[in-house]
Structures are given as structure tokens and as C-alpha cells.
């Protein structure tokens, strides 16, 4: 949930339910994007870990303080938050998508 009262800023914790089989997942990447296809995506950083990759089994991320709610293209607002697993073959398919309110 976003706890920052300022518009276009994000703070808070993102949680997700992992897939039933995590054997080929090493990390998760959390992105904000224009749409649920991950267009103009910007990857978020975890405040607690100091990294953009969340290890498998953690299933949560504390969004870096004062993160801007912006995509990689300023003409497109960040409307979606998406969680992708990362494994030996790179980023996997989308597992969790949630609309940012």
C-alpha cells in the first residue's frame, strides 16, 4: 500500500503471493509501468535490501523512500505495479499485476 500522501510519490510495502513452483526463481523484480504489458517500465528498489532484486522466499518489498511514480517515458503515467520472477532464463512471465490507486 502506498503511504506517501504526496501525489506522484510512492512509499510503503508491496507484497505478493509466489507461484506454487519457485524452483527456477532466484529473485523477483518489481516494476511500475504504464500498462499491464509492462510498457515504459521502471524497476523499483527495496529500501531494506538496498537492491532492486528481491530474493525468492521474501515475497515483499519496502519501496525506496520518496520514489517517483514515473515510467521511463514522461508522457506515460505509471498506472500499474508488476512483479516478475527472475531465474536462470532471465525474467519470467508476469505473475502479479496490481493497479496503483
Amino acid at each position: 500500500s502506498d503511504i506517501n500522501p504526496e501525489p506522484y510519490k510512492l512509499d510503503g510495502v508491496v507484497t505478493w503471493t509466489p507461484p506454487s513452483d519457485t524452483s527456477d526463481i532466484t529473485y523477483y523484480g518489481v516494476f511500475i509501468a504504464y500498462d499491464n504489458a509492462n510498457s515504459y517500465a521502471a524497476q523499483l528498489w527495496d529500501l531494506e535490501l538496498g537492491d532492486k532484486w528481491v530474493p525468492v522466499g521474501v515475497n515483499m518489498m519496502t519501496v525506496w523512500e520518496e520514489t517517483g511514480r514515473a515510467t521511463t517515458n514522461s508522457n506515460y503515467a505509471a498506472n500499474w505495479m508488476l512483479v516478475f520472477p527472475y531465474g536462470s532464463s532471465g525474467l519470467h512471465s508476469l505473475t502479479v499485476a496490481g493497479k496503483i490507486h
Side-chain angles (χ1 to χ4, degrees):
S1 62
D2 183 10
I3 59 172
N4 193 317
E6 293 182 50
Y8 308 108
K9 295 286 185 182
L10 296 172
D11 278 323
V13 176
V14 179
T15 60
W16 57 89
T17 302
S20 57
D21 181 8
T22 60
S23 60
D24 189 39
I25 299 173
T26 309
Y27 300 101
Y28 293 97
V30 181
F31 297 81
I32 52 176
Y34 172 68
D35 55 26
N36 65 352
N38 211 32
S39 300
Y40 309 110
Q43 191 167 0
L44 300 179
W45 279 74
D46 188 298
L47 179 65
E48 304 296 322
L49 298 173
D51 200 342
K52 62 182 179 179
W53 297 106
V54 179
V56 68
V58 175
N59 306 323
M60 65 172 281
M61 169 187 266
T62 303
V63 178
W64 198 269
E65 294 174 340
E66 297 291 314
T67 293
R69 185 178 160 183
T71 65
T72 56
N73 184 326
S74 62
N75 293 319
Y76 295 89
N79 297 311
W80 288 81
M81 187 171 286
L82 308 161
V83 178
F84 286 90
Y86 180 87
S88 59
S89 60
L91 281 180
H92 290 230
S93 62
L94 181 67
T95 56
V96 178
K99 182 85 167 155
I100 298 174
H101 298 287

